[in-house]
Amino acid sequence: MLKYRLLLGPILIAAMVAGLWLDGWVDRQPIPASMAYLTGFVGDPQTFPRGVIVFLVIVPLSFIAATELVGILKRKNVAASRWITCAAALVGLCVSSLVPADVKPTTSIAIANTCAAGVLALALAYYARRRTFEGVIASAGGTLLAFVYLGLMFGFVLAIRREHSAWVLLWILLVVKSFDIGAYFTGRSIGKHKMIPWLSPGKTWEGVLGGLVLSAIVAALGRWLLVEQDWLVPERFSDGLAWVLVGGAIAGLIFGAIGQIGDLMASLLKRDAGVKDSGTSLPGFGGVLDVIDSPLLVAPVAYWWMWAIESAAPA
């Protein structure tokens, strides 16, 4: 497993960096007249909106994770349709991140509520299509889980990109993954005290501490670099290098801890189904859901963290 992690890990990180660089390049390109409808989204009306490449990447990732979720549900003898589950995830993604910027807040809420109601109604109708009510509650619940977990929560990744530089999103993702790296190697080296043995027997408190230290360091250095390169406007925060580093370290501790909770959330689903990994598509890591489980929970927290920091800053 370690061999595969060391080989595949850098490849995944490089692909993430390349994808976000491409996304930043695309949002500076002019929009053809035939695609003028895109101007309703966040961004310069004359250029592509932010997050085009991010959206094209997270949609297939969400579909793969939804397929893995279907496998987990079936292990619990819950009837789960692949296309219904994937459709629920896609609807959640779109409603959480693709509502045009000029839509009124109340209308945005109504759109989200309507989509949630539509997903529930579709699931109930589909799983009762054979004129049986057995298992309908569990199956509809699995569909709503995909809508929220792989749709609404994953959509916050695109929401962050719509409001911030691609490098800000990269910073957040690297901070989350740095916790995983620090926790993994620290736990393997000196881990002795089990964290939650009944849920995740491989995790130790020493590993958690190592993950938090590394995520805080990466976050502090990354935030300093973002400010230095004007990818984060310095005036939005506070004067002085010390606050930039301290604020970044605090963000790293929060994102790292929340990411660990996100990992444990996914472990709950997998342990209940009696499986260790959600899939086998990524050797050494498991499935796609095993890789994105931490960012799924961090993304909403990071979005509101950035919003709170900017709202509290003086004009």
Side-chain angles (χ1 to χ4, degrees):
M1 179 179 293
L2 178 59
K3 177 182 69 174
Y4 288 123
R5 282 178 177 256
L6 292 176
L7 289 174
L8 187 57
I11 295 175
L12 293 176
I13 292 175
M16 181 172 62
V17 173
L20 287 171
W21 174 86
L22 181 60
D23 189 85
W25 177 82
V26 167
D27 76 22
R28 297 191 300 271
Q29 305 309 305
I31 296 181
S34 60
M35 302 178 68
Y37 59 88
L38 290 173
T39 60
F41 297 96
V42 172
D44 189 321
Q46 303 303 318
T47 61
F48 280 95
R50 294 174 172 178
V52 171
I53 302 301
V54 171
F55 182 72
L56 294 178
V57 170
I58 64 176
V59 166
L61 288 179
S62 180
F63 281 4
I64 297 172
T67 300
E68 294 172 352
L69 179 61
V70 168
I72 291 173
L73 292 172
K74 287 184 176 180
R75 287 290 298 264
K76 289 296 295 179
N77 296 319
V78 176
S81 162
R82 181 179 287 107
W83 79 267
I84 285 285
T85 307
C86 288
L90 178 60
V91 172
L93 275 176
C94 293
V95 75
S96 68
S97 55
L98 293 183
V99 176
D102 57 357
V103 173
K104 295 188 301 183
T106 52
T107 303
S108 297
I109 295 173
I111 292 173
N113 291 345
T114 300
C115 288
V119 167
L120 177 59
L122 175 62
L124 290 173
Y126 180 82
Y127 292 114
R129 69 191 186 284
R130 293 194 174 94
R131 299 184 180 182
T132 178
F133 50 79
E134 293 183 3
V136 170
I137 292 177
S139 297
T143 303
L144 287 178
L145 176 62
F147 174 76
V148 175
Y149 191 38
L150 303 176
L152 296 183
M153 291 171 62
F154 209 0
F156 271 95
V157 172
L158 184 57
I160 292 171
R161 175 63 186 106
R162 286 182 63 180
E163 297 188 12
H164 301 281
S165 163
W167 304 117
V168 172
L169 177 56
L170 177 63
W171 169 64
I172 294 170
L173 295 176
L174 287 179
V175 169
V176 176
K177 287 304 160 185
S178 67
F179 176 91
D180 294 341
I181 294 171
Y184 179 78
F185 286 102
T186 304
R188 284 177 58 92
S189 301
I190 60 173
K192 293 182 180 180
H193 300 86
K194 298 296 183 180
M195 183 181 176
I196 310 179
W198 62 270
L199 178 59
S200 187
K203 289 182 171 57
T204 63
W205 286 110
E206 291 85 354
V208 171
L209 180 60
L212 289 174
V213 170
L214 185 57
S215 63
I217 293 173
V218 171
L221 295 177
R223 190 178 185 217
W224 168 77
L225 181 60
L226 289 172
V227 171
E228 285 294 306
Q229 297 297 322
D230 289 332
W231 293 324
L232 279 178
V233 181
E235 290 78 12
R236 290 185 178 180
F237 300 100
S238 179
D239 295 330
L241 175 61
W243 171 245
V244 171
L245 294 176
V246 170
I250 293 173
L253 293 174
I254 293 174
F255 297 166
I258 296 298
Q260 180 69 101
I261 296 173
D263 183 271
L264 293 173
M265 284 176 52
S267 293
L268 277 174
L269 302 177
K270 292 182 290 185
R271 297 300 179 192
D272 188 30
V275 296
K276 181 179 183 296
D277 297 320
S278 63
T280 58
S281 56
L282 299 172
F285 293 91
V288 169
L289 186 56
D290 295 303
V291 174
I292 67 173
D293 53 7
S294 299
L296 281 175
L297 189 59
V298 172
V301 175
Y303 176 88
W304 290 112
W305 168 270
M306 300 293 293
W307 175 85
I309 291 294
E310 295 189 355
S311 299

